[in-house]
Amino acid sequence: MSYQNEIIKTKSKKYSNNFDWKKYEINETKENREKLEKIYISTLPKVNELEIYEGTVTNITEKIVLVDFGFKAEGIIPISEFRENISIIKIGLKIEIMVMKIDYKGQCILSYQKAKILRNWQKLNKVYEKSEVVLGYVSARTKGGLIVEVFDMECFLPGSHINVKPVRDYDNYVGKTMEVKVVKINKKTKNVVVSHKILIERDIEEQRKNMISKLDKGQVLEGKIKNILPYGAFVDLGGVDALLHITDMSWPHISHPTEVVQLEQELNFVILGVDKEKNRVQLGLKQLQPHPWESLDTDLKVGSKISGKVSVLADYGAFIEIIPGVEALLHISEMSWSTDLSSPKDFVQIGDKLEALILTIDRKDRKMSLSVKRLTEDPWIGIQDKYKIGLKYKGLVKKFTNFGLFIELEKGISGLLYTKDFSWTKKIKHPSEFCSINDEIQVIIISIDPKNRKLNLGHKQLFDNPWDKYEKIYTIGSIHDGIISNFFDKGAIVKFINNDYLEAFVPMRFLEKKDKTVLKKGEKADFKIIEFNKENKKILISHTSVYRDKIHKKELRMRNRKFERSTLGDIEGLAKLKEKIEKEKENN
């Protein structure tokens, strides 16, 4: 039986069956009927589909519930929508319904569940917007969390949001109610995420604020090491986590917190600072012990000689530990009289023991600076008397740079030997191709700058410049034997067979042989000098010019011979013509 028949059946109890509807419809003209319908419809308020209205249950059958929601109309709801709450459905009960459809006959199809879902969804959004806490029922566990019903809507509670501590057994929560907070709503997919942990964290934060408000700088409290990181440790002060920085653990320098503290270790700490706005507490451990500066020898002063161990290296110098907890700065400029130090690592390493002189000492601010170079006399004093420009000296190779190397002539005095001054003939790109560190090498002094403590050295200047001799041998147009040693995009490098050190460059166009092929690496051939530059030490040569010039000379000789023969023939003809002309004159 259709819903329409159900309505007719329901209404048949109210109205008499004696009225002849067919006779009425036949007698009623179409025009009058349409006029009456317009008058009737104009008296009805407008009903919108998919909107929620309040209605009253007027009748209940086995299949439908009839609801009067105003507008001079009644709508029907399938009884299946009330199965969960069938006991509460009674005639006269007021409920919220949603108009799902109004058919062409004016019959209204309603929904109780759709209205309920929409209202619950609106409640959830309101709770989310106002950041309110609601009560939820845990109906089931699922992969990665729990299903919590809030306003009869299923929400997802991730496992990571159940508690502040990891939860292993989710089943313990099923069937229980808990307070939750809506943290995410996806309106497109209707997915809702809730959290219980955020409420616990809120309570913990409130307790933390309350406890921090009672803390003050200088208080000594007992705490337990909760976590250790490279830069320090976190201490549990009984509900408040505080940071113990590595620099506040020990007066002597340490590399890692585990050198002083261990996990779960209980110790006394002093509060160094409290930031009540950010709820941060900073602790100190070393401050509970006397400062090592208090035990430092009172006789130490500027000019005193002390010994210590390198504890820390920095870009600008090194820190020397005099006694545990007392460190002094040895600046890089006070390490050596030499000016070739670019890093403290060139002079000292961590753990090295050394002697130094106290330059400054401030017991109030607990600062000290040292000098190592001042233990010896400045070797640069009278440098021009010790070293003469143009004289030869021996030194040790101490350091490579991209532009040359530093050679130590004596302790504290080093000179720079530029790459361009290594050799007259070899093209050296890096000093490692020329020598090794700690090699002894002979050099010549090129220049001395006492003010800036600089020595400019030379090595190739120890020998005569071979380019003076090459200038006479490798003249332009001369031909020499060579071998292709290397190839480039624009040409090749050739080594002369009678000179292992001298190299020349052949442009690609001059590598062509007589048979139109190109010279290959390792191939020997004759080359003609086409350019010689002594200043830039550059020689340009050509193989192609060798055989082309020979061909040119041969063609030139052939032309000259032809010209000579032609010229002699012309002279002989002229002589005969002259003799003929003279005979004719005699006869006349």
Side-chain angles (χ1 to χ4, degrees):
M1 185 183 293
S2 66
Y3 290 147
Q4 188 176 4
N5 292 335
E6 283 286 333
I7 295 170
I8 294 170
K9 183 179 177 182
T10 303
K11 289 188 175 183
S12 66
K13 296 178 183 179
K14 297 181 180 180
Y15 306 105
S16 172
N17 291 329
N18 296 328
F19 187 81
D20 191 349
W21 289 96
K22 291 183 178 179
K23 185 178 178 180
Y24 171 79
E25 288 178 354
I26 294 169
N27 294 333
E28 185 71 13
T29 63
K30 184 178 181 182
E31 184 179 345
N32 291 335
R33 184 174 180 177
E34 289 177 353
K35 187 183 293 184
L36 289 171
E37 281 181 356
K38 287 181 180 179
I39 295 170
Y40 177 72
I41 290 170
S42 65
T43 63
L44 293 174
K46 187 178 181 181
V47 179
N48 295 320
E49 293 182 355
L50 301 180
E51 281 198 11
I52 295 177
Y53 300 95
E54 188 179 59
T56 305
V57 178
T58 59
N59 200 5
I60 304 172
T61 70
E62 294 180 356
K63 292 189 176 180
I64 65 167
V65 173
L66 202 63
V67 177
D68 181 3
F69 61 98
F71 306 101
K72 299 179 182 180
E74 291 178 324
I76 57 173
I77 302 174
I79 194 71
S80 59
E81 288 200 16
F82 299 96
R83 282 177 183 172
E84 295 179 0
N85 301 311
I86 194 68
S87 60
I88 68 168
I89 301 301
K90 296 178 182 179
I91 293 175
L93 180 68
K94 293 187 180 299
I95 60 173
E96 285 189 331
I97 55 89
M98 179 183 283
V99 179
M100 302 303 296
K101 184 180 180 183
I102 303 174
D103 64 16
Y104 69 97
K105 293 183 179 180
Q107 181 175 307
C108 296
I109 308 300
L110 311 178
S111 174
Y112 170 73
Q113 290 295 335
K114 293 287 178 65
K116 184 180 178 182
I117 290 171
L118 181 58
R119 279 288 185 239
N120 289 338
W121 180 251
Q122 290 173 346
K123 287 180 184 178
L124 270 175
N125 277 277
K126 189 176 180 180
V127 165
Y128 175 62
E129 290 170 2
K130 293 186 175 182
S131 192
E132 295 177 349
V133 178
V134 293
L135 199 64
Y137 173 74
V138 182
S139 59
R141 69 160 293 173
T142 186
K143 184 179 180 181
L146 301 171
I147 299 298
V148 180
E149 292 181 0
V150 180
F151 303 135
D152 293 328
M153 301 283 289
E154 288 189 348
C155 306
F156 178 59
L157 174 59
S160 59
H161 279 266
I162 297 174
N163 205 329
V164 289
K165 296 180 180 179
V167 176
R168 296 180 181 177
D169 190 2
Y170 296 163
D171 292 328
N172 288 336
Y173 293 87
V174 178
K176 297 178 181 178
T177 57
M178 63 167 62
E179 287 186 332
V180 294
K181 189 174 181 181
V182 180
V183 294
K184 186 179 180 182
I185 291 180
N186 189 323
K187 293 184 179 181
K188 188 176 181 180
T189 60
K190 303 294 183 184
N191 288 332
V192 182
V193 180
V194 296
S195 172
H196 179 66
K197 181 180 78 170
I198 198 171
L199 302 178
I200 301 174
E201 289 176 338
R202 183 191 63 185
D203 294 339
I204 291 173
E205 187 63 23
E206 288 178 359
Q207 294 175 10
R208 177 183 171 88
K209 285 181 180 179
N210 186 41
M211 290 186 66
I212 289 176
S213 66
K214 299 176 182 178
L215 298 178
D216 203 0
K217 185 177 180 180
Q219 287 181 322
V220 177
L221 301 173
E222 186 178 3
K224 182 187 288 187
I225 303 297
K226 182 180 179 181
N227 193 15
I228 296 177
L229 298 168
Y231 57 85
F234 283 96
V235 180
D236 184 3
L237 297 177
V240 175
D241 289 343
L243 175 63
L244 174 64
H245 198 270
I246 188 171
T247 56
D248 293 313
M249 290 182 176
S250 169
W251 291 116
H253 177 78
I254 59 173
S255 300
H256 196 272
T258 52
E259 296 178 33
V260 177
V261 296
Q262 302 297 325
L263 280 175
E264 302 298 321
Q265 187 178 8
E266 294 183 358
L267 296 166
N268 286 331
F269 304 91
V270 62
I271 296 178
L272 299 180
V274 179
D275 188 338
K276 294 182 180 180
E277 290 184 1
K278 296 182 179 179
N279 294 325
R280 293 177 182 173
V281 181
Q282 186 179 351
L283 301 179
L285 184 61
K286 71 180 184 181
Q287 288 79 2
L288 295 174
Q289 304 295 326
H291 200 289
W293 270 82
E294 295 175 8
S295 60
L296 188 65
D297 189 352
T298 56
D299 293 332
L300 290 177
K301 58 183 179 180
V302 174
S304 296
K305 187 186 295 185
I306 59 170
S307 60
K309 182 175 66 175
V310 179
S311 57
V312 179
L313 288 177
D315 293 336
Y316 51 85
F319 286 93
I320 313 301
E321 186 181 65
I322 310 305
I323 61 173
V326 176
E327 293 179 334
L329 174 64
L330 174 61
H331 197 270
I332 188 172
S333 62
E334 293 295 330
M335 290 181 176
S336 172
W337 292 111
S338 178
T339 58
D340 63 341
L341 294 181
S342 57
S343 170
K345 293 180 181 179
D346 295 337
F347 187 77
V348 291
Q349 300 294 327
I350 291 179
D352 286 354
K353 293 181 180 180
L354 50 79
E355 283 189 339
L357 205 67
I358 297 177
L359 286 182
T360 62
I361 182 168
D362 188 340
R363 293 181 183 271
K364 183 180 178 181
D365 292 334
R366 292 165 180 167
K367 291 181 180 179
M368 190 189 307
S369 63
L370 307 176
S371 174
V372 171
K373 72 180 186 181
R374 294 176 194 263
L375 290 172
T376 57
E377 187 181 354
D378 186 356
W380 282 85
I381 297 175
I383 186 72
Q384 289 174 311
D385 296 329
K386 297 179 186 178
Y387 298 96
K388 302 292 184 180
I389 294 175
L391 294 185
K392 302 175 185 177
Y393 300 92
K394 287 185 178 180
L396 292 177
V397 178
K398 287 296 182 181
K399 182 182 175 183
F400 288 157
T401 68
N402 292 328
F403 50 83
L405 54 86
F406 283 96
I407 297 175
E408 186 181 68
L409 300 180
E410 65 173 87
K411 200 70 176 177
I413 294 182
S414 296
L416 177 60
L417 175 61
Y418 285 99
T419 309
K420 63 182 180 61
D421 291 319
F422 285 175
S423 173
W424 290 111
T425 54
K426 287 185 179 180
K427 292 183 179 180
I428 299 169
K429 295 181 180 179
H430 192 269
S432 58
E433 301 173 18
F434 178 69
C435 61
S436 301
I437 298 294
N438 292 325
D439 279 358
E440 188 178 62
I441 186 172
Q442 193 173 43
V443 291
I444 190 171
I445 305 291
I446 295 177
S447 66
I448 301 175
D449 185 355
K451 185 178 179 181
N452 295 310
R453 295 173 178 262
K454 289 183 179 180
L455 282 178
N456 189 12
L457 308 177
H459 178 72
K460 70 180 184 182
Q461 289 82 358
L462 295 169
F463 311 96
D464 293 333
N465 186 352
W467 285 85
D468 294 335
K469 181 174 64 175
Y470 297 156
E471 188 178 23
K472 299 176 181 178
I473 298 173
Y474 300 97
T475 56
I476 294 176
S478 60
I479 298 174
H480 305 270
D481 293 336
I483 184 170
I484 305 291
S485 63
N486 205 354
F487 262 96
F488 299 96
D489 293 337
K490 296 182 178 181
I493 297 296
V494 172
K495 284 188 176 182
F496 292 113
I497 293 175
N498 60 348
N499 192 326
D500 295 335
Y501 298 105
L502 193 60
E503 293 179 341
F505 179 72
V506 188
M508 192 63 72
R509 67 182 185 278
F510 292 144
L511 287 169
E512 185 181 309
K513 296 192 289 185
K514 193 173 182 179
D515 58 3
K516 302 300 181 181
T517 60
V518 178
L519 289 170
K520 298 178 181 179
K521 186 176 179 179
E523 193 170 352
K524 294 180 181 179
D526 289 338
F527 297 92
K528 176 179 279 191
I529 307 296
I530 58 177
E531 183 182 335
F532 184 92
N533 191 319
K534 179 181 175 181
E535 291 182 3
N536 296 326
K537 298 178 178 58
K538 178 182 176 182
I539 301 177
L540 202 64
I541 57 177
S542 169
H543 170 70
T544 308
S545 299
V546 174
Y547 67 84
R548 281 184 181 174
D549 287 351
K550 289 180 179 178
I551 293 172
H552 180 69
K553 285 181 179 178
K554 186 176 180 181
E555 290 177 350
L556 188 61
R557 285 197 300 270
M558 293 294 291
R559 287 197 202 99
N560 289 337
R561 288 175 184 173
K562 187 176 180 182
F563 175 76
E564 289 173 1
R565 287 195 297 269
S566 298
T567 302
L568 291 172
D570 291 342
I571 292 171
E572 186 178 352
L574 288 171
K576 289 182 179 180
L577 180 60
K578 183 180 180 182
E579 185 179 350
K580 183 179 178 182
I581 292 171
E582 289 178 351
K583 285 183 178 179
E584 288 179 355
K585 285 181 179 180
E586 289 178 359
N587 293 330
N588 294 331

